[in-house]
């Protein structure tokens, strides 16, 4: 089917239809204003495709997530995060040589300019790490203004950003603790390097555990992309105005920080702690979340697209089970989380609204087990999401027929009226 018909009053309008490889067909309404004098209204753009993309596919009804055509379960099982980063940015899995080259770039570009270290001291000690991350990423443009175009060169730009964000995150943690920073090491893999930069110190040697490294790779893969969500839309919005890569990613970081989005992983841990402190009274909080007279929601529950179990949450839940027992961590918040899921998923309120645990429900518990503090949980999400944002920025920047994203509105303010001078105003 290549067109749809739309009747308004006595008039019939023919609208072109855009076909996908998988998923829903889209009705092209871009000329509707000219032909029918109408705009479409779609609160939150929940049913609007803002672009054509070949990066990630989500089937929310069936709980399916694929990056460049590969299922998330396979990628988590068989790939490293760096391999998946390459896949997202380039659209194909790397050969051994390509992966080695990309890893070399990650190593070569892992340091941040020494002058940038002064920035950390300008922040108050209890600054939120997402505020620091977003400011530091946008500042990177001042130090590295050349965004290299073309696939081979863009590798360096992508590797630079993916590598430096990890260094910035670890340095900001060290600074917040008043400890000396730990520089990246060339002999360590991406995730092992991050753990070393975070937790090694002159007084306590951090032993890198390969189970933790593997789990961190898997978590970052789960976070790596999720098509046109709130933060990715922010990235594409900036990119559509031909905004630079760092500015666009910084916008993405700011959007991700919100508690209805990636900030939910911090909010989940805070909520589980609150329930734990309240004698673990799970049913009380399930009731509270159902009551519309307050704004409390079960954090880590529900999703704008998944109306089935989020496949990422399924993987994270299994990972919780295995990792915590392997590294001998007994987190009472995991028991609260399991109980909360059990109670909620038997409750008609959650069943009828198709509200299931999302990616943020179990991932915070995993990061905690690794030693990551609660206020850094969304930073972990951002590090993982970076390859996806970079791929989405690149796709937007390279579209020859790309348009600046500039939605319309339904104006509901006052109609134009005569100006009232100040001495006549009531
Ligand atoms: N707890 C209680 N009720 C909920 C929840 C929740 N977590 N989520 C949705 N609902 C209810 C709403 O109150 C609404 O009820 P109603 O029909 O009686 O009015 C109904 O379910 C539909 O909710 P919407 O807000 O319309 O759903 P939407 O798809 O727009 O929102 C969102 C998705 C924002 C994720 C929502 O489910 C939510 O707030 N969840 C908690 C925050 C969270 O975990 N965010 C992380 C999402 S994953 C990510 O971004 C990485």
């Amino acid at each position: 089917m290549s067109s749809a018909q739309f009747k308004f009053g006595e008039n019939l309008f023919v609208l072109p239809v855009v076909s996908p490889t998988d998923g829903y067909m889209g009705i092209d309404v871009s000329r509707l204003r000219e032909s029918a004098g109408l705009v479409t209204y779609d609160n939150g753009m929940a049913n609007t495709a803002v672009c054509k993309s070949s990066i990630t596919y989500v089937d929310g009804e069936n709980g399916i997530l694929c990056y460049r055509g590969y299922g998330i379960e396979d990628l988590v099982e068989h790939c490293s995060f760096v391999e998946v980063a390459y896949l997202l940015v380039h659209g194909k899995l790397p050969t051994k040589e390509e992966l080695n080259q990309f890893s070399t770039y990650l190593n070569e570009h892992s340091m941040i300019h020494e002058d940038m270290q002064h920035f950390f001291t300008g922040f108050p000690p209890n600054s939120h790490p997402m505020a620091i991350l977003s400011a530091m990423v946008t500042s990177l443009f001042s130090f590295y203004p050349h965004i290299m175009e073309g696939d081979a060169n863009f590798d360096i730009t992508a590797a630079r950003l993916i590598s430096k964000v990890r260094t910035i995150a670890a340095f900001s943690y060290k600074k917040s603790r008043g400890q000396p920073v730990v520089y990246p090491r060339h002999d360590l893999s991406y995730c092992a390097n991050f753990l070393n930069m975070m937790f090694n110190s002159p007084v306590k040697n951090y032993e890198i555990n390969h189970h933790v490294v593997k789990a961190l790779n898997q978590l970052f893969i789960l976070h790596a992309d999720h098509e046109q969500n709130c933060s990715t839309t922010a990235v594409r919005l900036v990119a559509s105005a031909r905004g630079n890569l760092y500015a666009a990613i910084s916008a993405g970081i700011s959007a991700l920080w919100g508690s209805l989005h990636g900030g939910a992983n911090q909010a989940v841990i805070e909520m589980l702690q609150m329930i734990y402190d309240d004698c673990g009274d799970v049913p009380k909080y399930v009731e509270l979340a159902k009551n519309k007279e307050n704004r409390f929601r079960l954090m880590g529950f529900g999703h704008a697209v998944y109306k089935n179990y989020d496949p990422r949450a399924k993987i994270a839940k299994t990972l919780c089970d295995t990792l915590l027992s392997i590294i001998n961590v007994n987190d009472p918040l995991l028991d609260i989380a399991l109980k909360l899921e059990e109670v909620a998923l038997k409750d008609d309120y959650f069943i009828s609204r198709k509200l299931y645990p999302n990616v943020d429900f179990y991932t915070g518990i995993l990061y905690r087990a690794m030693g990551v503090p609660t206020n850094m949980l969304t930073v972990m999400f951002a590090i993982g999401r970076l390859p996806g944002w970079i791929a989405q920025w690149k796709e937007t920047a390279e579209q020859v027929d790309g348009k600046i994203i500039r939605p319309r509105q339904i104006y509901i303010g006052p109609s134009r009226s005569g100006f009232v001078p100040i001495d006549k105003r009531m």
Side-chain angles (χ1 to χ4, degrees):
M1 215 179 300
S2 62
S3 66
Q5 290 187 344
F6 166 71
K7 193 159 182 258
F8 185 64
E10 290 309 304
N11 299 320
L12 195 66
F13 301 93
V14 177
L15 301 169
V17 167
V18 183
S19 293
T21 354
D22 270 319
Y24 302 107
M25 291 199 278
I27 298 174
D28 181 347
V29 294
S30 54
R31 304 248 166 242
L32 193 61
R33 194 166 41 86
E34 285 160 34
S35 57
L38 291 169
V39 295
T40 51
Y41 175 64
D42 179 13
N43 192 0
M45 297 202 287
N47 202 43
T48 294
V50 287
C51 61
K52 291 182 198 164
S53 179
S54 58
I55 303 170
T56 290
Y57 174 66
V58 179
D59 174 346
E61 269 71 37
N62 296 305
I64 294 171
L65 168 62
C66 298
Y67 300 157
R68 304 283 193 184
Y70 296 102
I72 189 71
E73 296 79 6
D74 288 335
L75 295 171
V76 162
E77 181 70 25
H78 302 294
C79 290
S80 68
F81 172 62
V82 172
E83 239 175 310
V84 171
Y86 187 98
L87 168 70
L88 284 166
V89 173
H90 286 276
K92 71 183 258 303
L93 284 166
T95 61
K96 274 192 186 140
E97 291 73 34
E98 286 165 339
L99 185 60
N100 283 342
Q101 179 62 74
F102 195 56
S103 303
T104 306
Y105 288 150
L106 285 168
N107 264 333
E108 284 173 352
H109 298 281
S110 57
M111 302 283 284
I112 55 170
H113 197 289
E114 282 293 304
D115 289 352
M116 282 193 84
Q117 281 215 44
H118 299 304
F119 294 5
F120 289 109
T121 51
F123 288 99
N126 56 355
S127 296
H128 197 285
M130 284 297 273
I132 299 178
L133 190 68
S134 135
M136 295 296 267
V137 167
T138 210
S139 311
L140 281 173
F141 185 71
S142 314
F143 291 87
Y144 310 96
H146 302 295
I147 294 175
M148 300 173 173
E149 287 170 12
D151 262 7
N153 289 334
F154 192 76
D155 243 16
I156 298 177
T157 300
R160 176 182 286 146
L161 189 47
I162 292 169
S163 201
K164 288 192 193 318
V165 159
R166 171 193 59 176
T167 308
I168 290 169
F171 279 19
S172 85
Y173 172 67
K174 285 297 193 192
K175 297 277 183 190
S176 74
R177 311 270 302 194
Q179 291 178 8
V181 299
V182 175
Y183 284 99
R185 271 172 41 187
H186 279 205
D187 58 320
L188 294 177
S189 69
Y190 184 88
C191 288
N193 222 333
F194 176 71
L195 292 165
N196 190 60
M197 283 192 272
M198 284 283 289
F199 303 121
N200 213 351
S201 84
V203 289
K204 193 161 179 258
N205 195 31
Y206 175 75
E207 277 185 33
I208 298 167
N209 178 321
H210 74 96
H211 295 291
V212 176
V213 173
K214 186 173 177 210
L216 187 55
N217 269 285
Q218 293 178 319
L219 283 170
F220 283 165
I221 293 171
L222 292 184
H223 288 320
D225 197 46
H226 209 245
E227 54 119 306
Q228 308 313 315
N229 55 80
C230 178
S231 55
T232 300
T233 301
V235 170
R236 288 191 85 119
L237 195 88
V238 176
S240 80
R242 303 203 180 155
N244 76 67
L245 175 67
Y246 303 108
I249 302 286
S250 174
I253 291 169
S254 300
L256 187 76
W257 190 4
S259 64
L260 292 189
H261 191 18
N265 61 6
Q266 176 176 340
V268 167
I269 295 298
E270 288 163 354
M271 173 188 75
L272 295 175
Q273 188 66 55
M274 183 168 74
I275 300 174
Y276 178 75
D277 293 342
D278 196 2
C279 310
D281 192 349
V282 166
K284 173 177 161 186
Y285 288 88
V286 171
E287 286 309 310
L288 200 63
K290 288 157 57 178
N291 184 345
K292 303 287 177 194
E293 277 163 29
N294 67 75
R295 280 166 58 92
F296 178 79
R297 286 186 162 194
L298 282 194
M299 299 315 283
F301 255 77
H303 195 275
V305 177
Y306 292 119
K307 301 302 166 197
N308 200 323
Y309 212 102
D310 181 337
R312 303 166 300 174
K314 205 178 280 175
I315 296 169
K317 186 179 179 185
T318 312
L319 202 52
C320 255
D321 246 16
T322 44
L323 184 76
L324 268 62
S325 72
I326 290 174
I327 62 174
N328 246 329
V329 168
N330 185 7
D331 188 345
L333 297 195
L334 176 59
D335 300 330
I336 301 280
L338 290 168
K339 181 84 184 141
L340 196 59
E341 178 183 337
E342 191 192 324
V343 174
L345 293 191
K346 282 190 192 136
D347 191 302
D348 191 50
Y349 174 95
F350 292 89
I351 295 169
S352 61
R353 288 169 179 77
K354 299 185 178 166
L355 302 171
Y356 295 88
N358 60 47
V359 66
D360 291 322
F361 196 64
Y362 288 107
T363 47
I365 292 174
L366 282 158
Y367 287 131
R368 251 164 78 90
M370 295 174 187
V372 178
T374 305
N375 72 350
M376 256 195 86
L377 295 180
T378 315
V379 170
M380 303 300 285
F381 194 149
I383 299 174
R385 181 53 56 86
L386 213 57
W389 284 335
I390 294 171
Q392 302 271 355
W393 180 89
K394 185 169 181 270
E395 192 176 66
T396 313
E398 286 176 355
Q399 266 162 6
V400 276
D401 60 345
K403 284 174 77 70
I404 187 165
I405 298 175
R406 202 312 185 178
R408 293 276 166 167
Q409 62 170 7
I410 307 287
Y411 177 68
I412 55 165
S415 296
R416 183 168 179 154
S417 50
F419 179 75
V420 183
I422 195 158
D423 53 346
K424 301 242 167 69
R425 286 176 213 160
M426 308 289 285

